[in-house]
Amino acid sequence: MKKQLVLENGEVFVGEGFGADQEMSGEVVFNTGMTGYQEILSDPSYCAQIVTLTYPLIGNYGINRDDFESISPAIHGLIVREVELEPSHWRNEESLDTLLKAKGIPGLSGIDTRKLTRMIREIGTLKGRICSMNVDVEQVAKELRESAAIKDQVAQVSTKDPYHVPGKGKRVVLIDCGMKHGILLELIERNCDVVVVPYHTSADEIIRLGADGVLVSNGPGNPEDVPETIQTVKELVGEVPLFGICLGHQLLALASGATTSKLRFGHRGSNHPIRELSTGAIDITAQNHGYTVDADSLDDTNLKVTHIAVNDETVEGLAHKEYPAFSVQYHPEASPGPQDANHLFDQFMELMNTKQTTKVLA
Ligand SMILES: NC(=O)CC[C@H](N)C(=O)O
């Protein structure tokens, strides 16, 4: 069935619908990864976004049991050049089309994703809607332009209640702002005893849980939209070793008095090089973010920049100058992507073991 993507600037991309026969709006972003569509579409950080995949053939290895980053995908649509409806892989359980139908998510294939991506790179991320062919395009574009920004994405994807994932090692309280399962797996692999808590859990409650360390997860939306979590992070710094990933990194910055702002089109892909400033070492990393910590806002804080993006020199890592707290804008859990930065979980373990601060991180 023919369907179209209408953008807020009035541009239209016509293609073939797959997945759910559903009209949905969202911020249109692009991811340049060549594989990993299952992890991408189930990463809660994409909540309310329509994701364009620049790799031209998507769905060829199907959907498997193990590679979900969340049980209920929160994306508002998937845009591809060509979708494979008959996947072939030994781990394949169902097709991408079947999954999207079951989850109520629309897909759109046959789109010139290079043209769409170029447009987003030039203009910046745009709001869009996947809809049928008989809508009034001008009217849809106007509605998109006038629609208010969504602010409750973290509340939508964070766990409603705390839960325990038992282990024999360190007690990690994981603040779930829209956590990818890959983060939990890394902690389990290191024998951690994990308590996953909702994003609005207070610092007092987290300390009462006997946390040896706190991990603040990735998550969707503008980091300024979760003042509760910023407050919690502010109170935890100096009390307990803290590690922030992606949204968690932005929240550590905001909690320390720095500011964040929106990038024109963000970083989303599996091959983003970052440089560790102390050694010059490069890690190739998985990334998915639209906001960034403002480098010039860090001067009056107790944070120092530890990593920068090689491509655009934006801030990619921070460490507290006094206390055991550090964070990265990229994804050491990969899922999907290279595992170069996996050692950061070991660094977190070391912080919990020694509770040292500047000695470990300087
Ligand atoms: N993956 C993430 O945690 C993303 C963080 C934030 N929502 C951003 O887009 O910048």
Side-chain angles (χ1 to χ4, degrees), residues 34-86:
M34 294 174 74
T35 58
Y37 54 83
Q38 179 171 341
E39 294 93 322
I40 292 166
L41 70 89
S42 59
D43 174 350
S45 297
Y46 287 108
C47 176
Q49 290 176 326
I50 295 176
V51 182
T52 306
L53 298 169
T54 61
Y55 189 73
L57 175 61
I58 297 296
N60 51 320
Y61 56 87
I63 297 290
N64 63 56
R65 195 196 68 172
D66 303 315
D67 290 345
F68 286 104
E69 289 303 314
S70 67
I71 291 167
S72 305
I75 58 165
H76 278 193
L78 198 65
I79 293 176
V80 302
R81 173 76 187 112
E82 183 181 346
V83 65
E84 177 54 66
L85 299 174
E86 290 176 33

Side-chain angles (χ1 to χ4, degrees), residues 45 218-222 245-247 250 268 288-291 329 331:
S45 297
N218 64 294
N222 184 341
I245 296 179
C246 211
L247 185 78
Q250 298 163 354
R268 294 177 185 86
N288 163 23
H289 63 108
Y291 292 82
Q329 184 64 81
H331 292 276

Side-chain angles (χ1 to χ4, degrees), residues 40-276:
I40 292 166
L41 70 89
S42 59
D43 174 350
S45 297
Y46 287 108
C47 176
Q49 290 176 326
I50 295 176
V51 182
T52 306
L53 298 169
T54 61
Y55 189 73
L57 175 61
I58 297 296
N60 51 320
Y61 56 87
I63 297 290
N64 63 56
R65 195 196 68 172
D66 303 315
D67 290 345
F68 286 104
E69 289 303 314
S70 67
I71 291 167
S72 305
I75 58 165
H76 278 193
L78 198 65
I79 293 176
V80 302
R81 173 76 187 112
E82 183 181 346
V83 65
E84 177 54 66
L85 299 174
E86 290 176 33
S88 169
H89 193 275
W90 64 274
R91 290 206 294 158
N92 172 47
E93 301 275 353
E94 63 181 359
S95 72
L96 174 60
D97 178 54
T98 309
L99 174 78
L100 293 189
K101 278 192 169 74
K103 298 292 180 183
I105 298 164
L108 189 61
S109 70
I111 296 300
D112 185 344
T113 49
R114 284 188 292 193
K115 182 176 174 195
L116 177 57
T117 300
R118 278 209 188 107
M119 193 179 285
I120 296 170
R121 281 180 62 98
E122 272 156 35
I123 306 173
T125 40
L126 289 158
K127 285 185 254 178
R129 183 176 299 169
I130 296 177
C131 46
S132 73
M133 295 304 293
N134 45 30
V135 297
D136 177 346
V137 169
E138 276 311 307
Q139 179 61 25
V140 171
K142 185 166 176 281
E143 278 172 30
L144 288 168
R145 280 194 300 274
E146 290 170 359
S147 62
I150 315 170
K151 289 184 175 289
D152 67 342
Q153 290 107 310
V154 168
Q156 286 183 42
V157 292
S158 172
T159 182
K160 299 287 173 266
D161 293 304
Y163 58 93
H164 186 201
V165 184
K168 298 241 179 271
K170 294 285 175 197
R171 160 71 49 104
V172 175
V173 174
L174 207 172
I175 303 180
D176 176 9
C177 299
M179 174 196 74
K180 287 167 67 187
H181 287 177
I183 294 177
L184 192 53
L185 284 177
E186 292 296 339
L187 295 175
I188 291 170
E189 212 171 289
R190 287 163 179 81
N191 295 322
C192 293
D193 180 78
V194 187
V195 181
V196 184
V197 298
Y199 74 101
H200 50 71
T201 307
S202 70
D204 278 354
E205 182 59 24
I206 289 169
I207 299 292
R208 284 188 69 249
L209 285 165
D212 292 311
V214 171
L215 197 155
V216 191
S217 85
N218 64 294
N222 184 341
E224 291 174 1
D225 292 342
V226 279
E228 313 87 320
T229 323
I230 297 171
Q231 183 58 29
T232 296
V233 172
K234 196 185 249 174
E235 291 172 31
L236 287 173
V237 169
E239 295 294 328
V240 63
L242 188 135
F243 179 21
I245 296 179
C246 211
L247 185 78
H249 157 85
Q250 298 163 354
L251 297 178
L252 174 63
L254 290 171
S256 308
T259 58
T260 53
S261 52
K262 194 166 186 177
L263 293 163
R264 186 146 51 106
F265 52 84
H267 297 171
R268 294 177 185 86
S270 300
N271 61 350
H272 285 252
I274 58 94
R275 178 181 292 118
E276 183 178 30

